[in-house]
Amino acid sequence: MIHGYTAIPVLNDKEQYIGSVTEGDFLRHLLAVHTTDLKMQEQYKIGDIVRRDFCPALQIDADRSQAVETALNQNFVPIVDSRGVLCGILTRKNLITYLAQQ
């Protein structure tokens, strides 16, 4: 974890959020396919690994209580617009900082 990220959002070709992937997801994938050979790994796509139920997104117009409730259960909250396009990420730290300043 060079940058301290525990998960990254995954987008489809329309920039819509489809789920998140963690280092652990990659490790489980390697165990499942029984190889670390780079040429063998090239046949897989990130879509084969992504967890679509991990870190569900909130709509951009979600209210404060929804954001707090969601952030209680996940380290970051992807924020999407009405098309499902990723607009940004709300981190727990940013939310706590915002609420502390209110």
Side-chain angles (χ1 to χ4, degrees):
M1 254 191 316
I2 295 172
H3 298 287
Y5 298 113
T6 59
I8 55 172
V10 178
L11 310 178
N12 66 14
D13 59 349
K14 296 177 184 172
E15 297 183 7
Q16 296 168 315
Y17 176 74
I18 61 169
S20 294
V21 66
T22 67
E23 180 181 18
D25 295 327
F26 287 108
L27 294 174
R28 280 187 287 283
H29 167 75
L30 291 174
L31 289 172
V33 299
H34 305 290
T35 183
T36 57
D37 179 71
L38 184 58
K39 284 293 180 192
M40 294 294 294
Q41 292 301 323
E42 288 176 353
Q43 69 182 325
Y44 299 101
K45 296 181 180 182
I46 194 74
D48 299 328
I49 301 169
V50 66
R51 285 192 287 163
R52 296 175 189 273
D53 61 343
F54 182 68
C55 288
L58 275 182
Q59 291 292 315
I60 197 165
D61 59 355
D63 63 30
R64 183 186 306 195
S65 64
Q66 288 174 298
V68 169
E69 181 68 29
T70 304
L72 285 172
N73 297 308
Q74 49 195 79
N75 291 331
F76 70 95
V77 182
I79 306 297
V80 297
D81 66 12
S82 61
R83 300 167 296 158
V85 172
L86 184 70
C87 297
I89 292 178
L90 174 64
T91 64
R92 207 181 272 166
K93 179 180 178 179
N94 288 3
L95 179 61
I96 291 169
T97 301
Y98 170 78
L99 293 173
Q101 293 173 351
Q102 297 301 304

